[in-house]
Amino acid sequence: MNYILVKLKINHLYFLIISVLCVTSLNAQILLFQNLKLSSEDRAKAILPWAQIPTSVFKNQKHQQLALETARKSMIFFQKNNSTLPLKKSTRKLKLWYNAPSGEVWENALPIGNGFQAAMVYGNVKKEIFQLNEHTVWSGSPNRNDNPNALKALPEVRKLIFEGEYKAAEDMANAQIITKKSHGQMFQPVGNLELTFAGHEDYSDYYRELDIEDAIVKTTYTVDGVTYIREAFTSFPDRVMVIRLSADKPNSLSFNASLTSQYEKKEFKVNGNKELSLWGTTSDHEGVEGKVEFNALARIKTDDGNIIHTSDSIAIENANSVLIFVSIASNFNNYNDISGDENQRAKDYLDKAFNKNFEALKAAHIEAYQKYFNRVKLDLGSTEASKLPTNERLNNFRNTEDPSFVTLYYQFGRYLLISSSQPGGQPANLQGIWNGNMRPAWDSKYTININTEMNYWPAEKTNLSEMHEPLLKMVMELSETGKETAKVMYGANGWLAHHNTDIWRITGPVDGSFWGIWNGGGGWLSQHLWEHYLYTGDKNYLESVYPAIKGAADFYADFLVEHPKYKWLVVAPGNSPENAPKEHQGASITAGSTMDNQLVFDVFSVTIQAAKALGKDNDLIEKLEGLKEKLSPMHIGKHNQLQEWLDDVDSPDDNHRHISHLYGLYPSNQISPYSNPKLFAAAKNTLLQRGDVSTGWSMGWKVNWWAKMQDGNHAYKLIESQLMPLGTVRGGGGTYNNLFDAHPPFQIDGNFGCTSGITEMLMQSSDGAVHLIPALPDNFKNGMISGLKTRGGFTIDEMIWENGELVSVKITSTLGGNLRLRTPNEIKTKSGKKLKNTSGENPNDFFVVSKIRQPIISETSNIQPLQLKPTFLYDMPTKKGKSYIFVMK
Ligand code: FUC
C-alpha cells in the first residue's frame, strides 16, 4: 500500500511538472504511467486529487484546463489499451448527497414527487423549506384559443409562401392565424411548508441526500451535541408527503411550522391545534380567469412535547419525534371540468394516511416505487471518484473517470419520470412537476415541438411503460380539442395541435408566427400512441387509441396542398421548428419543411400499420399509400448535408439548437445506415455542422443522434458537455447541483433526453432488429445492464459486455415472434447452438420499417456512405414467455 502511495505521490509531482512545463506531453505521461506499472484504478486515484490542484498553481485557468484535459486523455488511453480494465463494480447506493444545505438556491434543493404531489426539499438547518407542487395547480380555467380568421386567410398565406414572399406570409399569419386569446397557461406552485428551528444557527456534521433507490430525502446535522434527522417522501400509495423529524436526545425537538403562498386569493387557517391549512385560487393569465382552487393541509402527529398554535402557525416544543403529513388537492376533474371539491379531497387523502405508522407508510412507499425503479439496473463500473459529494462529482466529471456518475444520472432520469408522471396524473411538463415560480419560464407548460415528446423517450425502453400513460391520455384529449381547431381554423377533418399545449388542452397557434405556425404537435404526439403498442403488443389498447392515430392522418390528408413548383404534396404553412434560413427573409414560415414531410410520412405509415394490425379500413390504407407517394423525398444538399428545407439554403455555420430534420434519424427511423446509407452520411454531416454545445435539451437529443450514428465516443462527449456545471461553457446548457438539466433555466427534457440517449448507446430496436451495444464509448468498455425493453415486447434480462464485446445476453420474449439480433461480435446460443446469419426483412410485424423514397441528391454533392463497424445479424424464433441466452462465440 505504502509503495503505491509513494508511487502516486511521485506520479502527482511528475504530472504537475510535466503539465505545467508542457501541457500536451501526453506521450511522456503515458510512458511515465507505463513505467510505474499502476493499475487503472490507481491511475484514477492519481488523477482525482490532481484534478483538484488550485488554479493558482497554473499560470491561468486555460492552462489548468489544458493540463486536466491531458491527464484525462491519458486515462482514456489506458482504458482503451488495457484489456483487463479493473474498474470496480458499483456497489454504492444510488444517491445524490451534499455536505451543505441549499441556502436560497432552488436548484440546490432535492426533488421528490409521486406524480400528483411534489416538493423541493432545501435541507436548510435553521429554516427548512418544502416548496410544494400539485399536478393540477395551473393558472386559468377551461378555455379554447382557436383563431377562426385563419380559414379565410389560408389561401393568401399559401400563395405568398409559394411566391417566396415569406416575410409577408409571416406578417399575415401573425395578424390572421396566431391566436388572439390565451398563449397557454402556467403550471404554478402551491406554496411552501416552512419549519423554523430557533437556535440552530451553529451546526456541525451536516449531511443531506436523495436516495433514488428508495425515493427518500434525508437531512442530518448536530447542534449542541444533539443529532437531528429529517426524512421526507411523497408516498406513491398514500398520495401524501410524509416528513419525520427526530433527535437523538429526548425532548430536543422544537420548531415552528407554517405554510406560505404567493397567490392573491388565499386563506390560511389552523384546524384544531395540529393542522395548518392553505386554501387558494390560481392566477388569471392572458385574459383567462384563474379558477383552479386548491387546498394544502399539513397535519402534525407527535406523542410528546407541547403543541401551541397561533392563527396561522403551529409551534412544537421539546418533542422527541414528530411526523408531518402534507396533503394537497384541487377542484380539477379534467380539462373541461373543475367542479371537484378540493377541501374534501385533501382531507380524505390525509385522513386515510394519518392513522398509519411511519414505518408502514415508508415500507409501502418504497415497495410501490421500487416496483418500477428496480426493473432496470446499470453497472458501468466505479472508481474512487464516486466517493465525493454529488456537486463535486459534477465539477470533476470532465476531468476524471467517474463512470458510476453516468449511471447515477441515468437512473436519476428514471427516478424523475416515476416521480413526475403516474397513471391518472398530468404528464411531466417542462419542469416535470417541480416549479417554484409564480410566472415560470415558458409557463412550465407543454412545448410539443420537441420538449414534451423528449420527456417520454425513456418511458418504454427503460421499462417504465406505465409512466407513459399520462402523456397518452393527454394525446387522446388533444385529439378531441384539436378536432374543432382543424375544422374552425383550416376546414379540415381529423385533429391537430400546434407547438404548445397546457392543462386545458389548447390546440391553437401561440407566441407568434415564427414559433407558432407549425401544426405538427398532434402528428408527433400521435406517434407515442403507436410506440406504446409496439412495446406492449396490446391490441385492445390499440383499438382504443386508433381513432386518434387515424384522426392525425385525416387532418394531413385534408390539409396537404400541392406545391406549384415541385408538385409534391406539402404542409403549408408550416415551419422547421424555430429556425429560419437567411434566404427566406428571416421568416420561418414555409412549405414542405423536411421535418413536416417526415412527420406526415410517419403519421400515414403508422395509420396504415395500425389499420392492418386491427384488420380494418382497407380503403383508408389505399388512400394513404397513394398520398405517401406524393410526399417529398428527403434531399441531400450542396454541403453534403440533409436539407432542412425544400430549397438548398442550409448554412453550414448554423448552430441552431433545433435540428428538427434529424427527427427522421431519431426518434423516427427513416434514416438508416443499412437501407439508405447516403442519407445516413448526410445526417452525420448535418450533426457535425450544427456542432455540439447548445441548450440542455438539444445536447440531450444529440446523445441520441450520435448513438444512432453508432459513434459512442461522440455520444459520450455530449454526455460530458451536458454533465458540466452550468456556466462552464459559454452559450451552452449544463447541469445544476441537484442534477436538474439546465436549458438554462431548468428544463427537465434534457434529463430525460440524456437517459434515453444512454439507452440508445446500449440498445436500439427501431431499425428492424434489436441492436445490442451499438454505440459503446471507450469509457464504457465493460458493463452490465438489465431490464431494458425493446419493440415487440422483448426484455433484455441481462446483458454483459467486456472490452467492447458482447459476452452474454439473456432475453425474455413476452409476445413471441421472431427475435432479430444485431451484434458487434459473433454469438451462439448458451447451449452451443450455432446461429445462422440472416438478411432481408424482419418477419416480426413490430419491427416493420416503412420504406422511404430515394433521396434527391444535389448535383454538387459528393456524399459517400460511411464505413461502419461490421455487425452480425441473427434470427431466433421465440415463444411467448420463454427466455433465450446467447453468449460470445
Ligand atoms: C422551445 C425551444 C426553447 C425552449 C422552449 C421551452 O421553444 O426552442 O429552447 O426549450 O421550447
Side-chain angles (χ1 to χ4, degrees):
M1 188 59 203
N2 280 346
Y3 168 68
I4 289 179
L5 280 179
V6 169
K7 281 201 297 190
L8 285 178
K9 282 204 182 112
I10 295 171
N11 211 9
H12 295 171
L13 197 66
Y14 275 131
F15 245 133
L16 195 59
I17 295 165
I18 289 167
S19 301
V20 174
L21 292 178
C22 170
V23 286
T24 51
S25 63
L26 180 60
N27 288 339
Q29 292 181 35
I30 289 165
L31 268 175
L32 176 71
F33 268 146
Q34 275 170 347
N35 288 335
L36 286 171
K37 289 202 175 54
L38 291 178
S39 72
S40 292
E41 197 183 344
D42 291 335
R43 280 181 212 115
K45 279 185 196 155
I47 285 175
L48 182 65
W50 186 83
Q52 292 159 352
I53 294 167
T55 325
S56 52
V57 175
F58 295 87
K59 257 202 211 137
N60 56 38
Q61 222 179 353
K62 211 172 133 202
H63 249 166
Q64 187 192 29
Q65 274 305 325
L66 236 92
L68 290 174
E69 190 63 15
T70 312
R72 203 175 66 86
K73 279 187 184 145
S74 33
M75 268 301 300
I76 292 170
F77 174 90
F78 276 106
Q79 295 210 343
K80 268 189 194 165
N81 294 283
N82 183 345
S83 58
T84 53
L85 183 75
L87 284 179
K88 269 209 201 110
K89 249 188 132 182
S90 291
T91 47
R92 221 177 297 280
K93 277 196 97 182
L94 292 163
K95 286 179 183 182
L96 281 66
W97 65 274
Y98 308 83
N99 288 327
S102 301
E104 299 289 309
V105 182
W106 189 86
E107 294 83 359
N108 283 344
L110 294 169
I112 53 174
N114 60 14
F116 299 91
Q117 195 182 324
M120 292 294 284
V121 185
Y122 279 64
N124 288 347
V125 173
K126 186 164 184 284
K127 185 163 133 194
E128 175 61 304
I129 300 172
F130 295 86
Q131 185 263 304
L132 308 173
N133 285 106
E134 200 269 357
H135 66 140
T136 61
V137 174
W138 284 66
S139 68
S141 45
N143 72 95
R144 298 191 57 87
N145 68 343
D146 308 316
N147 186 344
N149 296 342
L151 190 56
K152 221 169 115 210
L154 190 60
E156 182 61 18
V157 170
R158 284 179 164 162
K159 188 164 160 275
L160 289 169
I161 294 170
F162 291 139
E163 285 168 354
E165 298 292 337
Y166 297 103
K167 194 75 195 85
E170 181 174 282
D171 289 346
M172 189 164 184
N174 269 323
Q176 303 295 339
I177 302 183
I178 289 295
T179 188
K180 301 294 171 255
K181 295 182 174 166
S182 166
H183 290 258
Q185 296 299 312
M186 305 178 286
F187 174 57
Q188 295 196 296
V190 167
N192 291 348
L193 169 66
E194 297 184 355
L195 310 178
T196 314
F197 298 79
H200 284 205
E201 285 79 13
D202 294 322
Y203 55 87
S204 60
D205 302 322
Y206 182 88
Y207 173 86
R208 69 185 170 108
E209 67 171 34
L210 166 61
D211 181 332
I212 63 167
E213 290 185 34
D214 291 348
I216 294 180
V217 201
K218 200 185 278 175
T219 306
T220 74
Y221 59 90
T222 303
V223 173
D224 291 337
V226 181
T227 297
Y228 295 87
I229 303 180
R230 303 176 194 156
E231 278 179 274
F233 56 89
T234 35
S235 164
F236 286 88
D238 287 289
R239 212 168 151 163
V240 293
M241 175 162 69
V242 184
I243 305 166
R244 180 168 70 177
L245 306 150
S246 58
D248 70 350
K249 298 225 169 84
N251 310 114
S252 306
L253 203 54
S254 301
F255 63 93
N256 193 68
S258 60
L259 288 166
T260 65
S261 188
Q262 296 180 52
Y263 289 97
E264 269 173 34
K265 290 185 216 155
K266 65 182 172 224
E267 202 182 305
F268 295 103
K269 275 199 300 192
V270 175
N271 302 325
N273 73 344
K274 57 177 187 200
E275 185 178 282
L276 294 162
S277 167
L278 158 66
W279 180 92
T281 307
T282 58
S283 305
D284 303 343
H285 187 53
E286 294 175 346
V288 186
E289 199 184 334
K291 290 189 187 166
V292 174
E293 297 173 351
F294 63 84
N295 186 206
L297 299 172
R299 195 184 292 170
I300 287 165
K301 190 174 183 176
T302 178
D303 296 334
D304 40 54
N306 301 324
I307 303 186
I308 306 155
H309 72 274
T310 67
S311 60
D312 58 4
S313 74
I314 294 176
I316 309 289
E317 284 178 354
N318 308 325
N320 295 329
S321 74
V322 174
L323 291 185
I324 307 177
F325 292 74
V326 182
S327 167
I328 314 172
S330 82
N331 60 350
F332 181 93
N333 288 336
N334 63 51
Y335 69 89
N336 222 1
D337 173 5
I338 47 172
S339 63
D341 183 343
E342 65 280 5
N343 301 319
Q344 192 60 44
R345 282 175 178 167
K347 185 173 175 313
D348 284 351
Y349 298 137
L350 195 51
D351 286 346
K352 274 193 199 124
F354 197 71
N355 291 328
K356 302 185 184 175
N357 78 46
F358 179 76
E359 291 308 331
L361 285 162
K362 185 170 157 183
H365 162 72
I366 293 175
E367 191 188 335
Y369 169 72
Q370 290 187 342
K371 176 179 153 208
Y372 301 122
F373 185 76
N374 286 356
R375 288 176 184 168
V376 170
K377 299 241 186 290
L378 172 64
D379 193 344
L380 298 169
S382 157
T383 63
E384 290 292 300
S386 67
K387 289 189 173 157
L388 293 175
T390 305
N391 51 320
E392 290 181 35
R393 291 176 80 180
L394 178 66
N395 267 323
N396 295 341
F397 184 64
R398 281 201 76 209
N399 305 317
T400 180
E401 283 301 307
D402 190 359
S404 60
F405 196 55
V406 178
T407 309
L408 179 69
Y409 188 71
Y410 178 79
Q411 293 287 27
F412 185 56
R414 295 184 65 249
Y415 166 82
L416 292 174
L417 194 62
I418 301 168
S419 307
S420 63
S421 184
Q422 284 286 314
Q426 291 298 314
N429 60 49
L430 267 183
Q431 299 186 184
I433 188 174
W434 297 278
N435 167 40
N437 287 322
M438 291 294 282
R439 300 181 69 84
W442 290 288
D443 302 331
S444 191
K445 56 180 182 291
Y446 300 102
T447 309
I448 53 177
N449 64 8
I450 170 63
N451 317 78
T452 305
E453 288 87 352
M454 183 177 279
N455 284 359
Y456 285 87
W457 289 349
E460 297 292 339
K461 59 199 176 202
T462 79
N463 215 333
L464 298 175
S465 189
E466 296 90 335
M467 272 77 263
H468 214 165
E469 192 269 354
L471 181 80
L472 304 178
K473 179 150 183 264
M474 177 166 93
V475 183
M476 295 309 288
E477 292 172 346
L478 289 170
S479 78
E480 291 164 21
T481 57
K483 228 180 250 169
E484 198 175 321
T485 306
K487 253 285 133 0
V488 169
M489 292 190 59
Y490 303 119
N493 287 306
W495 69 280
L496 84 148
H498 292 84
H499 93 299
N500 272 204
T501 191
D502 62 15
I503 198 166
W504 312 113
R505 308 305 184 230
I506 55 154
T507 45
V510 305
D511 290 354
S513 171
F514 192 90
W515 305 272
I517 300 299
W518 182 75
N519 44 42
W524 191 347
L525 284 172
S526 72
Q527 301 305 296
H528 282 255
L529 299 174
W530 176 243
E531 195 199 8
H532 185 66
Y533 168 72
L534 285 180
Y535 280 78
T536 59
D538 182 345
K539 280 247 168 76
N540 291 331
Y541 156 81
L542 183 62
E543 189 77 62
S544 72
V545 298
Y546 178 73
I549 291 179
K550 175 178 173 297
D554 289 340
F555 169 72
Y556 282 125
D558 282 0
F559 188 76
L560 288 173
V561 57
E562 189 179 270
H563 195 293
K565 181 169 164 201
Y566 302 111
K567 307 295 173 200
W568 293 305
L569 288 180
V570 291
V571 170
N575 69 31
S576 185
E578 308 188 26
N579 199 11
K582 261 205 325 280
E583 286 75 0
H584 292 185
Q585 301 127 31
S588 71
I589 200 165
T590 195
S593 74
T594 300
M595 185 203 212
D596 276 342
N597 300 333
Q598 293 168 344
L599 272 176
V600 181
F601 178 87
D602 275 357
V603 168
F604 287 171
S605 303
V606 155
T607 307
I608 292 167
Q609 286 178 55
K612 283 184 181 165
L614 296 171
K616 63 207 283 179
D617 286 346
N618 283 333
D619 291 351
L620 179 71
I621 294 176
E622 209 175 299
K623 174 179 160 185
L624 296 181
E625 295 279 16
L627 289 176
K628 265 174 76 175
E629 285 305 304
K630 294 183 182 155
L631 297 175
S632 165
M634 282 182 253
H635 290 66
I636 297 173
K638 59 185 176 219
H639 305 292
N640 288 325
Q641 88 286 15
L642 177 70
Q643 271 179 221
E644 185 162 1
W645 294 276
L646 280 183
D647 41 351
D648 194 357
V649 289
D650 305 74
S651 160
D653 300 324
D654 177 5
N655 57 14
H656 198 278
R657 63 194 178 285
H658 287 262
I659 322 182
S660 304
H661 40 318
L662 291 187
Y663 162 87
L665 176 67
Y666 187 87
S668 184
N669 56 2
Q670 295 172 37
I671 301 175
S672 154
Y674 305 109
S675 36
N676 21 65
K678 286 193 177 169
L679 263 184
F680 188 73
K684 179 171 184 181
N685 290 331
T686 293
L687 264 176
L688 289 171
Q689 287 163 18
R690 282 287 167 97
D692 291 342
V693 171
S694 195
T695 56
W697 63 259
S698 177
M699 296 196 283
W701 201 346
K702 285 169 187 164
V703 178
N704 292 269
W705 283 321
W706 282 108
K708 291 287 284 202
M709 279 292 146
Q710 302 181 21
D711 187 338
N713 283 338
H714 206 129
Y716 186 80
K717 206 169 149 221
L718 263 305
I719 298 175
E720 280 186 328
S721 307
Q722 219 175 342
L723 279 176
M724 277 199 273
L726 178 64
T728 318
V729 171
R730 203 158 5 130
T735 296
Y736 295 104
N737 277 341
N738 63 1
L739 300 192
F740 270 169
D741 182 71
H743 177 287
F746 163 51
Q747 266 184 219
I748 206 160
D749 38 23
N751 286 95
F752 293 135
C754 194
T755 292
S756 164
I758 294 166
T759 315
E760 294 285 321
M761 290 163 80
L762 303 175
M763 190 279 297
Q764 298 171 11
S765 70
S766 54
D767 196 10
V770 176
H771 193 166
L772 300 175
I773 48 171
L776 273 188
D778 296 336
N779 306 60
F780 306 163
K781 264 188 159 183
N782 301 328
M784 185 285 304
I785 193 157
S786 64
L788 294 182
K789 289 293 244 183
T790 83
R791 290 183 181 206
F794 296 104
T795 312
I796 314 277
D797 294 321
E798 186 180 69
M799 174 167 78
I800 295 170
W801 65 95
E802 273 172 31
N803 295 311
E805 290 198 300
L806 183 65
V807 172
S808 71
V809 60
K810 180 177 170 210
I811 298 177
T812 297
S813 170
T814 62
L815 301 172
N818 184 55
L819 168 61
R820 176 165 292 182
L821 290 174
R822 189 182 285 283
T823 59
N825 48 281
E826 287 190 284
I827 56 169
K828 58 185 182 193
T829 67
K830 197 184 173 199
S831 57
K833 217 173 109 198
K834 243 185 104 193
L835 294 168
K836 267 226 299 274
N837 288 334
T838 190
S839 61
E841 271 183 31
N842 186 343
N844 186 329
D845 282 348
F846 292 107
F847 288 84
V848 167
V849 180
S850 297
K851 279 204 182 64
I852 60 159
R853 291 171 62 194
Q854 284 304 308
I856 294 177
I857 303 178
S858 159
E859 280 168 14
T860 53
S861 158
N862 56 3
I863 192 87
Q864 292 304 323
L866 304 173
Q867 291 300 319
L868 291 177
K869 279 197 208 118
T871 55
F872 301 87
L873 205 59
Y874 307 100
D875 277 340
M876 167 63 88
T878 69
K879 288 215 176 74
K880 192 175 165 161
K882 285 223 150 203
S883 299
Y884 301 82
I885 302 179
F886 306 92
V887 295
M888 185 187 243
K889 195 171 153 188

